[in-house]
Amino acid sequence: MPARLAPVGAHVSVAGGLLHSLPRAATVGAEAMQVFVANPRGWAPPAADPAGDEVFRGSCPLPVFVHSPYLINFGSPSPETLAKSSQALAFSLRRGAAIGAAGVVLHAGSAVLGNAWDAAMAQLREHLLPLLDSVPEMPTLLIEPTAGGGGALASDAGSLAAYLDVLGRDERIGVCLDTCHMHAAGHDLSSVASFTAALRAYGKAAGRGRIGLVHVNDSRDPAGSKRDRHEAIGRGTIGADPFAALFSSPVTRRVPLVVETADDDHAADIAALKSLRAAAVGV
């Protein structure tokens, strides 16, 4: 990998145990990886495995990130959902620290059942910031703006800036961008110029140096669709060439990139991004 440039990797399955993710990452040529450390669609945490986590931490040669469960939503008016969200995120943060993760990704959430944005954001601040205080050794929490629609709390660059403002621009909180989400939220990424402009807008919203990870996915649907449907690089409405902006924009030039496309596409998608990176630096 060229020095001081973005490592390119993938979200990798942990089926059979966390250590099994390492050969899978190597097989697809990953230089960075993202994993789940709990069921992404359930609340119950797995049994603790401190010995296994220590072995993984000592064995993993790549930057690693944790994606927290999808069910977490601090914008929900349900006390049960809020309590379970706090417990699930705390688990992901602690487990992320145990395996040496550089960051833990959290979907920004949504205001549901008629909950207004400002009320949902007040809940977020009330529950999230004390939770971070309870995990002093935590990795950076990376907020991932969503595709929009459905009461999304942060999706486009403007709503992301407002979201981070409500959280007081806490230094423990950064941002994870998702290119499919950006496109779906209304920032057209289908040319290098428009992609670069979108990165500039999100970079300004996040603040200098606060973008810690990018999920690199093409989109099945057009810009502004508010639909979160990933596609392999070059097979969607963004196209392959515009992703070159990730390697030329100062916002993301050195930020780790992971693809979240279908497992069968990971090797080809990583190779395509590495080719764009090589062209960007002339190697």
Side-chain angles (χ1 to χ4, degrees), residues 11 19 28 85 94 103 160 194 209 244 272 278:
H11 183 97
L19 282 171
V28 296
S85 293
R94 293 191 177 102
L160 173 63
S194 61

Side-chain angles (χ1 to χ4, degrees), residues 43-238:
W43 290 118
D49 183 16
D53 289 350
E54 185 176 354
V55 172
F56 177 88
R57 183 171 186 157
S59 304
C60 183
L62 311 177
V64 60
F65 296 84
V66 167
H67 200 304
S68 63
Y70 299 130
L71 296 180
I72 296 173
N73 183 16
F74 291 102
S76 171
S78 164
E80 181 181 8
T81 297
L82 290 171
K84 289 182 175 180
S85 293
S86 292
Q87 293 163 5
L89 181 57
F91 178 87
S92 290
L93 289 168
R94 293 191 177 102
R95 187 89 189 274
I99 67 171
V104 172
V105 177
L106 172 69
H107 282 182
S110 60
V112 296
L113 300 176
N115 211 13
W117 185 91
D118 54 354
M121 288 304 301
Q123 288 178 184
L124 173 73
R125 181 181 176 90
E126 176 186 355
H127 290 269
L128 182 60
L129 295 182
L131 186 156
L132 301 186
D133 292 336
S134 74
V135 190
E137 302 296 324
M138 58 170 275
T140 301
L141 178 64
L142 299 172
I143 302 299
E144 180 180 354
T146 59
L153 297 182
S155 53
D156 60 10
S159 58
L160 173 63
Y163 187 105
L164 297 173
D165 286 344
V166 169
L167 293 175
R169 298 278 167 173
D170 192 289
E171 63 182 9
R172 298 166 293 184
I173 298 173
V175 172
C176 169
L177 297 179
D178 183 305
T179 57
C180 175
H181 296 179
M182 294 165 65
H183 193 64
H187 294 271
D188 188 349
L189 306 187
S190 61
S191 72
V192 172
S194 61
F195 204 134
T196 300
L199 290 173
R200 188 182 307 116
Y202 279 96
K204 183 178 180 181
R208 181 182 292 273
R210 302 303 288 273
I211 295 175
L213 181 66
V214 181
H215 293 161
V216 186
N217 306 296
D218 210 325
S219 173
R220 295 185 188 183
D221 300 294
S225 68
K226 314 298 185 187
R227 302 185 71 184
D228 179 13
R229 298 203 301 166
H230 297 180
E231 184 55 275
I233 304 301
R235 296 186 200 164
T237 60
I238 298 175

